[in-house]
Amino acid sequence: FMVQVDGLGCPFCAYGLEKKFKEFKGIKDVKIDIETGDFSFSYPSEKMLSMADVEKQVEKAGYTPITAKIERANGEIEESSANEMAKTSEGTVSKNIMVAGNCAMCEARITKAAGSVKGVSDVSWNKDTKIMNVSFDSGMTSLEEIDQRKESAK
């Protein structure tokens, strides 16, 4: 399994992702490159972990999956890109974005910018984890567009 993850900024981030995936009993050979966001691991083939399971687990850890690739024991390969992952959800989706900023001014500016994107219905910021959760209509906007607006507000 190989997943590119958005939002990994430090060794603690990588530890949190690895810890969340350890909930899948039997996971091994975990490797995380913080610089690139590349995350790989092995999982017993008889347990049949799906692409959706992997994406959900990344999100539960507080990060956003960008791409994913599964090489099955029988040689079958499944791949998914950010665009395909977004298309699997219809209507309102909720995604996490890492944010930088420690003060109320940063929070107000960045949440206002993200909330101003057409299709965004809710924005919340957890100051402790520095993760902003954004709910939006995937037919009207994308996580990339929201992230760009967030970046321009810095």
Side-chain angles (χ1 to χ4, degrees):
F1 290 81
M2 292 177 283
V3 185
Q4 188 176 29
V5 178
D6 185 37
L8 296 175
C10 69
F12 186 75
C13 294
Y15 171 74
L17 181 64
E18 181 177 355
K19 185 175 177 185
K20 186 53 75 175
F21 269 82
K22 294 261 178 161
E23 292 175 3
F24 293 135
K25 301 297 181 212
I27 192 171
K28 59 184 178 178
D29 302 322
V30 175
K31 294 180 184 136
I32 302 173
D33 185 327
I34 298 168
E35 300 266 329
T36 63
D38 292 337
F39 169 54
S40 64
F41 62 93
S42 299
Y43 196 70
S45 59
E46 65 273 6
K47 295 195 178 188
M48 281 305 295
L49 192 59
S50 73
M51 188 73 74
D53 293 332
V54 172
E55 180 183 358
K56 284 179 189 168
Q57 203 68 1
V58 169
E59 291 173 347
K60 282 183 187 177
Y63 304 100
T64 303
I66 299 171
T67 60
K69 180 178 179 181
I70 300 173
E71 290 185 42
R72 302 283 181 196
N74 65 3
E76 183 181 321
I77 296 176
E78 296 174 46
E79 292 187 76
S80 183
S81 69
N83 291 338
E84 290 168 344
M85 289 180 177
K87 286 177 191 170
T88 61
S89 301
E90 293 182 11
T92 302
V93 295
S94 188
K95 299 285 184 176
N96 293 321
I97 301 174
M98 291 296 292
V99 290
N102 299 327
C103 70
M105 296 278 291
C106 291
E107 178 182 6
R109 188 174 63 254
I110 292 171
T111 56
K112 182 179 178 182
S116 71
V117 176
K118 187 176 181 177
V120 172
S121 57
D122 185 54
V123 179
S124 62
W125 180 330
N126 183 324
K127 289 179 193 166
D128 296 328
T129 62
K130 295 191 178 191
I131 294 175
M132 180 172 63
N133 181 272
V134 183
S135 297
F136 60 96
D137 183 330
S138 62
M140 296 177 73
T141 191
S142 67
L143 187 62
E144 290 78 19
E145 186 176 341
I146 297 165
D147 197 35
Q148 286 174 353
R149 187 75 59 94
K150 173 202 79 158
E151 290 297 319
S152 68
K154 285 183 176 177

